[in-house]
Amino acid sequence: MKRFPSLALTLMALIACSTASALEVGDIAPDFSLAGSDGQHYQLSSFRGKQAVVVAWFPRAFTSGCTVECKSLADNGDKIRQFDVSYFMASTDPLEKNIAFAAETNADFPLLSDPDKSTAAAYDVLMPVIGLAKRHTFYISIDGTIAYIDRDINAASSAEDMVARLAALGVAAAPGG
């Protein structure tokens, strides 16, 4: 009997902490500096005032759903690039694994690696027990605020869904496009 009150208080504290940190539309997107599969380093703040950004978090390279999603984006990159946007997939996988995954899926966009999981935690996509990211996509406006969070991703149609969302958000056309 004496254990129950402390267990209940612990559970209530965990629930309060987990819901308090959730990002919402209109919040400033947490800055990051992550290595990409293309050998470049990307810092979100460097896009502020210049271009919209999409970050599609995925759980793990070389798994079925992640492969389908990455191929969807790679096969339809021409449609996404009609918008003035930089887009990435991101995971907690080590860089070497994402480089190999990008090569296997013919990704023509960078896959970002967050092996210390700090950026995934900041975006509230980290699954703490297993250390993988949830499959969520963040649409970040040119001013650095979160314009939309897609928490219900269909891996097979992810590129088409991204194009539709960019259009619905009114993201500008790519220069010269």
Side-chain angles (χ1 to χ4, degrees), residues 95-175:
L95 181 59
E96 299 76 24
K97 189 172 183 181
N98 274 347
I99 290 170
F101 186 53
E104 181 173 294
T105 57
N106 295 316
D108 59 351
F109 58 91
L111 277 63
L112 305 179
S113 292
D114 179 30
D116 74 1
K117 302 169 179 37
S118 61
T119 303
Y123 276 78
D124 196 34
V125 298
L126 185 64
M127 295 184 274
V129 176
I130 57 177
L132 302 177
K134 298 172 191 172
R135 190 183 313 277
H136 290 172
T137 300
F138 289 79
Y139 294 80
I140 303 166
S141 297
I142 196 167
D143 67 0
T145 60
I146 297 171
Y148 187 78
I149 305 169
D150 190 348
R151 294 182 173 102
D152 187 26
I153 309 299
N154 178 338
S157 64
S158 59
E160 292 86 353
D161 298 339
M162 188 179 289
V163 167
R165 179 59 54 195
L166 290 167
L169 292 170
V171 174

Side-chain angles (χ1 to χ4, degrees), residues 58-71 89 101 105 135 155:
F58 67 99
R60 181 179 286 166
F62 298 105
T63 58
S64 60
C66 298
T67 300
V68 168
E69 182 178 11
C70 192
K71 285 185 176 184
M89 286 183 71
F101 186 53
T105 57
R135 190 183 313 277

